[in-house]
Amino acid sequence: MGAHSGRQRRLRDLVTTPMRPIHLVVGLLCLVLGFALVTQMKLKREDPLQSLEEDELVTLLDQLTTSENQLRSERIDLNAQIQKLQSSQSQAEAAREAAEKELKQAQILSGTTAVYGPGLTMTVIEGETPVRAQTFVTVIGELRNSGAEAIDVNGVRIIANSFVTRDNQQGLLISGERVTSPYVWTVIGDADTIQTALEIARGAASQLRGSGATVLFERADEVEITSVATPEEYEYAVAQE
C-alpha cells in the first residue's frame, strides 16, 4: 500500500513539474530527428523510376536500347578489326617463316652454309690402280639419287655444278681442288637408303672395289660438314622478278 502511494506521488510530481527551456530544446531535437529518420527510410523504399511518367519511361527505354545496339555494333567492329590484324600478322609470320625456310634450303643446296645431321661416312682407300674420275662421278650421282642432302669429300663441298677430273700428278680434282687417298666422303641423309644404293650390284661401291680400292662405311646419328662452296657469279643469267 505504501509503495503504491509512493508511485502516485512521483507521477503527480512529474506532471506538476514546471516546464523549463531545456525541456523544449530536447523535445524539438527529438521531433527533428524523428522526421529525418522517417524521411530517409521513405527515400530508401521509393524506386526512382516510380516518379517518371509513362512517356518518359518509353523515352528512357528507347535511349537504353539505342545505346545497347551501338555498343553491340562497336563490339562487332572491334572483333572484326582484331581478327583482321591477327590474320595479317599470321600471314606475315607465315610468309617470313617460308622465306627463311627457302633461304636455308637454298644455302644448303648451294653449299654456302655449314650443316649437320644424321648420315654416314664412306672411306675409300685407293689400291694399286688409281680410282677413275668417272667412278667418283657415279658415286655422286648415286648419292643424289638416294636422297643425300649434303656431301663433302676431304673438305671439299659437293654441289650441283661440281665436277671431277683426274689429276695428272696424284689424286683427283673436284672442281679444281685436289684430293688424295684416302677419300673420306661425309654424307648427310638417310643412311639406310644411301648405303643400300651404293652397295647395289654393279653400283659405285662395287666399281670401287673392282679397281682394288677398300670401301668402309660408318653410320652416325649426327655428322657435320663445315666446308662451304664459293658462290657462283653468273654473267648472263638474270633471275626473274
Side-chain angles (χ1 to χ4, degrees), residues 138-196:
T138 301
V139 173
I140 294 173
E142 291 184 356
L143 288 174
R144 288 173 177 164
N145 291 337
S146 61
E149 296 180 356
I151 308 170
D152 171 277
V153 181
N154 289 17
V156 179
R157 189 70 169 268
I158 305 296
I159 56 177
N161 59 356
S162 295
F163 58 91
V164 183
T165 58
R166 187 71 202 181
D167 190 358
N168 292 330
Q169 299 178 7
Q170 184 182 10
L172 298 169
L173 294 175
I174 300 178
S175 300
E177 297 285 338
R178 179 182 292 111
V179 294
T180 57
S181 178
Y183 305 105
V184 180
W185 295 71
T186 305
V187 185
I188 294 177
D190 186 340
D192 290 335
T193 303
I194 292 171
Q195 184 172 350
T196 300

Side-chain angles (χ1 to χ4, degrees), residues 72-161:
R72 287 182 178 179
S73 178
E74 291 177 1
R75 185 181 65 180
I76 293 174
D77 292 340
L78 289 174
N79 287 336
Q81 293 178 13
I82 291 173
Q83 291 178 358
K84 184 177 180 180
L85 290 174
Q86 290 176 341
S87 177
S88 299
Q89 184 178 5
S90 299
Q91 291 177 359
E93 183 69 16
R96 185 184 64 81
E97 292 178 356
E100 290 180 353
K101 184 177 180 180
E102 289 180 1
L103 176 60
K104 290 179 180 180
Q105 290 178 340
Q107 290 174 334
I108 293 173
L109 290 174
S110 62
T112 57
T113 184
V115 291
Y116 67 91
L120 57 79
T121 57
M122 179 179 70
T123 303
V124 179
I125 305 172
E126 204 170 51
E128 294 183 1
T129 304
V131 175
R132 298 170 58 230
Q134 182 59 41
T135 305
F136 263 42
V137 172
T138 301
V139 173
I140 294 173
E142 291 184 356
L143 288 174
R144 288 173 177 164
N145 291 337
S146 61
E149 296 180 356
I151 308 170
D152 171 277
V153 181
N154 289 17
V156 179
R157 189 70 169 268
I158 305 296
I159 56 177
N161 59 356

Side-chain angles (χ1 to χ4, degrees), residues 216-233:
L216 303 174
F217 290 96
E218 182 178 356
R219 303 184 185 191
D221 293 332
E222 183 175 307
V223 296
E224 185 177 12
I225 296 178
T226 58
S227 61
V228 293
T230 302
E232 289 286 337
E233 294 185 1

